Amino acid sequence: MATLSFTWLLLLLGLQYSFAADHNIQNTESKILSILNASFPVQELLYHIDVWRNDAPLAGVEHTVSSNLESVIRSEVAGDWERGKLVLQFANQARTVQLKEAIYTALWKELQQTKQIYDPSKILDFYEQLSVHTDVPLELMDLVYTAFIHRSAQLLEAPFHTGSPDATFPLVNSLVQRLTFSTLDYLRDILEVLYDAVLALETPLSVVERLSYFTASLTQLALANLQLLDREELKSTNVTVQQALQANLRHLLEQPGFEQEVEATLRAEIYASLPKEEQLLYTARKVCIRNVTDPSAYIYECPQTYLICSNPADQKKAAYFIQRGHSNDSRPQFAFYSAFWRNRYILMEPASVGAYSANHSITKNVYSRVNINWWRVEYGIDGFSLIDAATEKSVLCGGDPSHWDGEEHHVYTRRATELAAHRGECTWSLEDCSDAA
Ligand SMILES: *[C@@H]1O[C@H](CO)[C@@H](O)[C@H](O)[C@H]1NC(C)=O
Ligand SMILES: *[C@@H]1O[C@H](CO)[C@@H](O)[C@H](O)[C@H]1NC(C)=O
Ligand SMILES: *[C@@H]1O[C@H](CO)[C@@H](O)[C@H](O)[C@H]1NC(C)=O
Ligand SMILES: *[C@@H]1O[C@H](CO)[C@@H](O)[C@H](O)[C@H]1NC(C)=O
Ligand SMILES: *[C@@H]1O[C@H](CO)[C@@H](O)[C@H](O)[C@H]1NC(C)=O
């Protein structure tokens, strides 16, 4: 019976005999096949089918024709979505626009009747299959797309209503994974609906924090964070929320593949969303490093020695090229070298054993040297600190006159653990000196 009915469907769609044969369908109805093969109008087609099925011929009212076609097709698919996909492929070979549209509409109705509709990936599959056909009515495409967006947003809501960072959401993960194969516009539309919903029910801080638990590609996370940052609901929030958002962005920058995986415009938007100084670290060619409160104290070579000093403002002398790198655990690190100072870097020599004693936590070991030297950046409220990347045990400080020597206002390092107690001494400000000669 099923085979007979399927044969009939093939006939209805006016398929080639060879196609039917390929699918191992016995062509027992060659007479009807040849009738169908003759491009009848749809009404006549149905009439012939009804006769063939021994049903009462249809009243020839126009609107019942397509609904009859739909019900015929739906009864054929009958919740078997694999079969639905096959029927959709046949739509190409359907002879009339009316027949094609009946197929598309019937399949969409049938999909909504099945549990498949709860899985947005299935709707997306259908949408993408429909997109291949040039003659699907636009209203239907819109309906399917909207259903896909809303179902996806609903699914992605779950993690935002969950307190635990450890909760896992396999369906969410598989949808997000599926979306990596599609245009980013889909995700953009989903996020818009998603944020409407979650920001109505949860605090901005909780939405920001829960976004940080999300498992997704770096590009998807970049987009999701930027889009959240753009929301009205986030604009009027306090510093805690802004910092949580920045922490999310910073975490992204620290991921190994960030620069390779995320395309340039999205990356530029991320940088632009960070505090000015952090942005400069990633975008400026040359920077000047100066005292936060004293605009006349820039660091570069001391007047008489190869040590580094806090010196008077002078763009030519203070401008350092920024070199960006990653440590072996892929965190960002930076090196500063100056063309003016004969391509020397700001370098910290390893403190000799016992250099720091209980009463003496300062070491003058920061030089202008030809060797590269990496620094890790730690961001504070009104500036940043430079920690030596090799050991992460020392922080660059300055400004205490008791460590100076006449004109030589030496900078020095302290134990990194002292940073909190000596913020003013160990926090710097950054200026864009890209244009310095
Ligand atoms: C369908 O029609 C074409 C030409 O109109 C003909 O060549 C072909 O043999 C017909 N197929 C069948 C199964 O009747
Ligand atoms: C900012 O708002 C959050 C809740 O949205 C609150 O928990 C936090 O204490 C606030 N922080 C400040 C500094 O006001
Ligand atoms: C990274 O480098 C540090 C010091 O250079 C070393 O102690 C650590 O074992 C390295 N880690 C890896 C994963 O290679
Ligand atoms: C270190 O400082 C403490 C108190 O500030 C003092 O008692 C001690 O003698 C000092 N030790 C040295 C070696 O100067
Ligand atoms: C900046 O200048 C102030 C005032 O002179 C000083 O107390 C502070 O230690 C300096 N900070 C740095 C990082 O040089």
Side-chain angles (χ1 to χ4, degrees), residues 10 42 78-79 84 97 104 142 196 206 209 216 237 244 255 317 319 326 333 336 364 397 403 416 424:
L10 292 174
V42 174
V97 172
Y104 301 138
D142 283 350
D196 280 346
S206 123
E209 283 172 348
T237 52
Q255 299 309 303
K317 296 178 177 173
H326 290 274
Q333 54 186 13
F336 306 93
K364 281 204 224 172
C397 308
H403 306 299

Side-chain angles (χ1 to χ4, degrees), residues 32-52:
I32 290 180
L33 183 59
S34 63
I35 295 168
L36 292 172
N37 195 26
S39 304
F40 283 119
V42 174
Q43 286 95 327
E44 251 179 90
L45 191 75
L46 277 178
Y47 174 79
H48 284 289
I49 289 164
D50 287 334
V51 169
W52 175 57

